[in-house]
Amino acid sequence: MATSFQNNLVRGALACGFMFMCGAAQAHLGGTPTSVQADGVVWQAPAVAGVAASGGRYTVFTHTTPEGVKVRQFVSTTGLVFAVAWEGPLLPDMERLLGTYFPLYQNALQQRKRSVRVDTPSLLLESGGMMRAFVGRAYLPDRLPLGVYALELQ
Amino acid sequence: MRWLLSLCLAAGLSACGGGGSGSNPSSGSAPVSPPPVAADTNVLPLVVGVGPGNNVNIPYVSVRVCTPGTSDCRTIDNILVDTGSTGLRLLSSAIAGLALPAQTTASSNVTLECAQFLSFVTWGPVKLADVYLGGKKAPAIPLQVIADPAYPVVPSGCAAAGPIATGVGDIHSNGILGIGVFVNDGQRYFDCAPTTPQTRCPAVLTPAQQVQNPVAALDSDNNGVVLQLPAIGSTGAREVNGSLILGVGTRDNNQLGNALVIQTDSRGYFSTTYKGVTLTNSFMDSGSNGLYFADAALPDCSGSLSGFYCPTSTQNLSATVRLRNGSNATIDFSIANASSLLASSSYAYNNLGGTLSDVSFDWGLPFYYGRRVFTVIEGRSSVAGVGPLVAYTP
């Protein structure tokens, strides 16, 4: 038991180190173009930048993971990831994708409702679909770039 | 099944009933009951009623599973019929004592699976069994055993994907019979040596090695299913008896009749238009216990029933769906006050609804009462066309 306890300590320390290294790039939703690139490394799904959309108000970066999950990150001209969207046979890595907002999502799951939804002033999240066909999105209502409407964030 | 709500449990109702009856006017446009189906080898009796999870609008069948090639079998009742997922998943406790061989990986480890439902995951080994649906056999197919005590360590990536279902209370059943439009389940698999933490050992499985839709593995009647339920009144019913019929257009008992055909996209989605908004990710799902869609004009229930609609009077509504022949068909439905409904002693309701995101209309079990609803599996031919598709009697 002592041995395994010690192993756990070591593993824990390594995990902290990893998180610390990633700290600067952490965020994803609420993140930066740097975090978008870091996400691509972790997910083995390099971000592909689209052309500027919505009259140049933002750029969409698309990741396609080896599992076939498509994740889109919406980056404003000021470098803020103000929205993310996903679709695929599985849910994406929600913990990383939502970053500091992940606990709100976990809380919504615990409600055990048909509709997984978070509706707060700082986060709107909708997750739906079926096994092999999930779709959803999350955005920061109070940080949308001027002139961007929620409905276009799919 | 995917998205069950702990309706009665959450509401703190002792037996989902005991109170007064819902005082809702009749819903006007309810479909009439299809003629009952005679017993046959491709017919499974289907019951919506008191189930082990004390929830409403959940269709149950019995399934028999056997050690492959032997007569060592268990008949497991209260299996949830789910056209919104793929594959048979059984609680470990429901098959206690039945020796099923594990599906092994190329490196001789037991294949482990994390299956993603919308709001939870199931974790456990993949095992092989002869699965009998009615009188039909799916030989030695991969299924998932949920919460097998031999595999207690859940990889972190799986645990982060949602709460882990481990018992009857989580899935309102002894298992889930996923018989949607897919042949295999396309989920996350793991190839972990017994001594290594089960965190970073993803396994790549061929479609045939994945957990299979048992219907697709039958020797005939294997192109899809028909769910048939009788019509019920607007205050619900305590128990409803219907049929799960294997095959589409393969026998007299599963012909298309006057059913309307909807070709789905490769994900199983089709378009529904409701109040002028086209919802492109719509689907029919026997594992959803309500009609779920977005309508800001319908008041949300309060407290533990939040997420369901509680209009002061029953609302008669309609939506249109896009048929394969290019025309649109109107579907009438009603939404009653969920709080009033659930105060009754019924377990089957055709007018229970709740909220959903604004891209989908989830035609759950309330839609199925008084109808025959067809599902044709991807790539399989039928009298209704090649799947994936769904069809329903108006």
Side-chain angles (χ1 to χ4, degrees):
Chain A
M1 286 309 291
T3 304
S4 76
F5 182 60
Q6 193 175 11
N7 282 344
N8 284 341
L9 282 180
V10 171
R11 208 176 301 132
L14 286 173
C16 289
F18 179 68
M19 286 177 67
F20 178 74
M21 284 195 305
C22 294
Q26 215 175 18
H28 327 293
L29 183 59
T32 65
T34 308
S35 70
V36 171
Q37 299 306 324
D39 293 339
V41 173
V42 172
W43 295 334
Q44 300 174 46
V48 178
V51 294
S54 189
R57 292 183 179 93
Y58 59 82
T59 302
V60 181
F61 290 82
T62 302
H63 310 263
T64 304
T65 74
E67 293 166 325
V69 179
K70 270 196 180 140
V71 175
R72 286 185 284 282
Q73 303 204 55
F74 296 72
V75 182
S76 72
T77 52
T78 60
L80 170 72
V81 180
F82 64 91
V84 294
W86 59 90
E87 66 174 284
L90 306 163
L91 288 172
D93 173 1
M94 298 294 274
E95 191 168 10
R96 184 175 180 90
L97 183 62
L98 299 177
T100 55
Y101 298 94
F102 182 63
L104 290 172
Y105 169 70
Q106 280 188 302
N107 184 50
L109 291 182
Q110 295 295 343
Q111 311 274 321
R112 301 183 56 77
K113 301 291 185 189
R114 169 61 185 83
S115 173
V116 176
R117 181 179 170 87
V118 177
D119 190 354
T120 69
S122 61
L123 175 70
L124 198 139
L125 178 149
E126 293 177 321
S127 178
M130 301 181 286
M131 177 179 282
R132 287 195 56 169
F134 294 105
V135 272
R137 61 177 180 155
Y139 61 89
L140 310 176
D142 55 358
R143 298 174 78 181
L144 289 185
L146 271 181
V148 172
Y149 296 92
L151 269 179
E152 62 190 278
L153 307 174
Q154 301 285 353
Chain B
M1 108 181 158
R2 307 133 12 156
W3 310 303
L4 295 175
L5 340 162
S6 312
L7 270 187
C8 303
L9 294 175
L13 303 176
S14 61
C16 211
S21 64
S23 57
N24 305 299
S26 77
S27 55
S29 53
V32 294
S33 295
V37 181
D40 204 341
T41 53
N42 69 331
V43 178
L44 286 73
L46 181 77
V47 181
V48 182
V50 183
N54 198 23
N55 206 329
V56 301
N57 276 345
I58 300 187
Y60 295 107
V61 294
S62 290
V63 169
R64 189 158 163 259
V65 293
C66 308
T67 305
T70 76
S71 57
D72 189 7
C73 304
R74 296 285 185 283
T75 298
I76 307 162
D77 63 2
N78 288 315
I79 299 290
L80 189 158
V81 176
D82 184 17
T83 61
S85 71
T86 301
L88 180 61
R89 301 170 207 283
L90 301 171
L91 287 175
S92 176
S93 55
I95 53 168
L98 181 66
L100 298 179
Q103 164 109 291
T104 52
T105 64
S107 40
S108 299
N109 294 316
V110 171
T111 304
L112 296 165
E113 181 184 22
C114 179
Q116 178 79 65
F117 291 79
L118 180 65
S119 56
F120 65 89
V121 295
T122 58
W123 167 254
V126 177
K127 299 210 168 180
L128 303 175
D130 288 346
V131 174
Y132 287 87
L133 303 177
K136 306 285 297 181
K137 174 183 172 184
I141 60 164
L143 56 79
Q144 186 185 28
V145 177
I146 303 172
D148 187 330
Y151 305 94
V153 181
V154 182
S156 56
C158 183
I164 297 156
T166 58
V168 170
D170 295 322
I171 60 174
H172 306 282
S173 60
N174 289 323
I176 302 164
L177 178 61
I179 48 174
V181 296
F182 300 110
V183 173
N184 56 293
D185 74 349
Q187 296 299 294
R188 287 192 178 100
Y189 289 94
F190 297 82
D191 176 4
C192 303
T195 53
T196 57
Q198 294 158 358
T199 50
R200 293 179 196 280
C201 33
V204 178
L205 268 58
T206 65
Q209 292 171 324
Q210 298 176 12
V211 166
Q212 298 288 302
N213 181 335
V215 174
L218 302 173
D219 64 350
S220 58
D221 303 310
N222 57 13
N223 58 352
V225 296
V226 187
L227 259 71
Q228 171 170 333
L229 286 169
I232 59 175
S234 61
T235 56
R238 185 158 178 83
E239 181 171 297
V240 173
N241 291 280
S243 301
L244 166 60
I245 310 164
L246 307 172
V248 172
T250 58
R251 306 193 191 197
D252 287 347
N253 64 14
N254 56 20
Q255 292 298 317
L256 201 58
N258 64 341
L260 305 175
V261 178
I262 301 171
Q263 191 82 51
T264 73
D265 66 18
S266 61
R267 303 167 301 170
Y269 288 144
F270 57 88
S271 281
T272 297
T273 301
Y274 177 69
K275 290 193 173 176
V277 180
T278 298
L279 308 163
T280 54
N281 293 343
S282 298
F283 50 94
M284 292 177 184
D285 177 19
S286 66
S288 292
N289 64 355
L291 301 172
Y292 293 98
F293 57 100
D295 186 342
L298 291 173
D300 195 5
C301 300
S302 59
S304 61
L305 289 179
S306 174
F308 288 96
Y309 288 130
C310 276
T312 50
S313 64
T314 295
Q315 302 294 302
N316 295 317
L317 304 165
S318 69
T320 61
V321 293
R322 185 81 171 160
L323 303 180
R324 190 182 51 194
N325 66 14
S327 63
N328 292 317
T330 299
I331 299 173
D332 295 324
F333 61 96
S334 296
I335 297 297
N337 185 301
S339 181
S340 302
L341 288 177
L342 297 170
S344 79
S345 56
S346 296
Y347 284 88
Y349 300 103
N350 63 7
N351 47 13
L352 177 67
T355 58
L356 195 63
S357 66
D358 56 11
V359 295
S360 300
F361 196 117
D362 176 358
W363 296 96
L365 204 70
F367 171 73
Y368 287 65
Y369 295 110
R371 289 200 163 89
R372 282 159 66 87
V373 181
F374 299 73
T375 302
V376 176
I377 297 168
E378 57 180 344
R380 300 290 169 94
S381 298
S382 76
V383 288
V386 178
L389 63 82
V390 293
Y392 68 97
T393 53

